[in-house]
Amino acid sequence: DTGVSQDPRHKITKRGQNVTFRCDPISEHNRLYWYRQTLGQGPEFLTYFQNEAQLEKSRLLSDRFSAERPKGSFSTLEIQRTEQGDSAMYLCASSLNRGVGEQYFGPGTRLTVT
Amino acid sequence: GIQVEQSPPDLILQEGANSTLRCNFSDSVNNLQWFHQNPWGQLINLFYIPSGTKQNGRLSATTVATERYSLLYISSSQTTDSGVYFCAVESSGGSNYKLTFGKGTLLTVNP
């Protein structure tokens, strides 16, 4: 059973550029979450999908952020016109839609905006 | 929203020592998880424990849901236990299953 995977693991971009991250959840998991973690803090919730439906977005997710999960499988998180404040670790997690709702996290994508 | 407080924020131990990490939360929860974040940022699942007691090797955890706290015990600590330990909860008043994290406890185990 493979875990949650994320790509790329590291991304360095210049301010104003667009970036896209990918998350592949555990295969039988139909819930998928994105979190953001800044230095010295715990992860903070960004958005949540159940299958292909995006059911909630945090106020942290400005208009420059968009997430998709076509066909309820992998998900992408895009940040447009990046700002230095977007520098963070972006974490993806997945869980089953029944029974124990334990979330499993991927290795994260570390974004640095210069 | 639900508040999660972890203590202590920092802990330094000698190898072989025991430790207790605490997590207090402000509302009833459906889910409580303990994680260890390694130096590369990966969150490793330690326990799923909304109530009761569990043990896994040198680690054990207890959640007293009625009193809104959870404890993580590490016995005979090793240098590889170093890292940040997070408690995260899913509020029973929510509908989206999101986890709210504490700020973590930074554990350093010296040889």
Side-chain angles (χ1 to χ4, degrees):
Chain A
D1 182 22
T2 58
V4 179
S5 61
Q6 292 187 245
D7 184 71
R9 297 290 305 276
H10 303 273
K11 179 70 176 180
I12 301 173
T13 191
K14 292 186 177 180
R15 189 175 52 190
Q17 298 295 304
N18 299 344
V19 294
T20 300
F21 311 141
R22 176 179 172 126
C23 170
D24 286 88
I26 294 171
S27 58
E28 65 269 27
H29 287 186
N30 51 7
R31 292 182 192 159
L32 186 147
Y33 315 79
W34 285 98
Y35 293 82
R36 181 171 69 186
Q37 185 178 20
T38 54
L39 202 60
Q41 302 297 316
E44 294 177 289
F45 170 79
L46 291 179
T47 191
Y48 157 64
F49 289 85
Q50 184 157 308
N51 299 312
E52 67 276 9
Q54 187 175 18
L55 296 184
E56 180 158 340
K57 295 194 296 184
S58 162
R59 286 172 294 178
L60 293 175
L61 218 60
S62 76
D63 291 344
R64 297 183 297 104
F65 288 70
S66 63
E68 294 182 341
R69 192 181 182 198
K71 303 178 182 178
S73 56
F74 70 92
S75 176
T76 58
L77 178 67
E78 180 183 16
I79 309 174
Q80 296 182 329
R81 304 181 303 281
T82 52
E83 301 173 356
Q84 286 189 319
D86 297 331
S87 295
M89 175 77 91
Y90 290 84
L91 295 161
C92 177
S94 70
S95 70
L96 283 168
N97 190 30
R98 62 185 182 279
V100 170
E102 185 172 4
Q103 292 187 26
Y104 295 85
F105 282 77
T109 295
R110 188 173 298 279
L111 173 66
T112 302
V113 181
T114 62
Chain B
I2 193 167
Q3 304 296 312
V4 181
E5 293 184 1
Q6 291 187 243
S7 60
D10 301 278
L11 186 58
I12 299 175
L13 301 175
Q14 288 299 121
E15 202 167 22
N18 302 329
S19 61
T20 301
L21 282 58
R22 186 176 180 103
C23 172
N24 292 335
F25 44 95
S26 61
D27 206 348
S28 58
V29 298
N30 290 333
N31 176 9
L32 188 146
Q33 294 184 239
W34 282 98
F35 297 92
H36 177 210
Q37 189 164 44
N38 67 21
W40 299 272
Q42 172 82 57
L43 284 167
I44 299 165
N45 290 41
L46 298 178
F47 294 102
Y48 170 87
I49 187 164
S51 64
T53 297
K54 291 186 177 179
Q55 180 156 6
N56 185 2
R58 296 181 296 103
L59 272 60
S60 63
T62 295
T63 297
V64 183
T66 53
E67 297 187 21
R68 299 181 182 169
Y69 73 89
S70 182
L71 302 173
L72 178 68
Y73 305 96
I74 305 174
S75 64
S76 304
S77 57
Q78 301 175 358
T79 56
T80 51
D81 295 331
S82 296
V84 183
Y85 289 80
F86 286 106
C87 168
V89 303
E90 174 203 330
S91 171
S92 60
S95 60
N96 62 11
Y97 313 104
K98 73 177 183 183
L99 290 176
T100 300
F101 284 74
K103 291 189 174 183
T105 292
L106 175 59
L107 174 65
T108 303
V109 181
N110 293 321

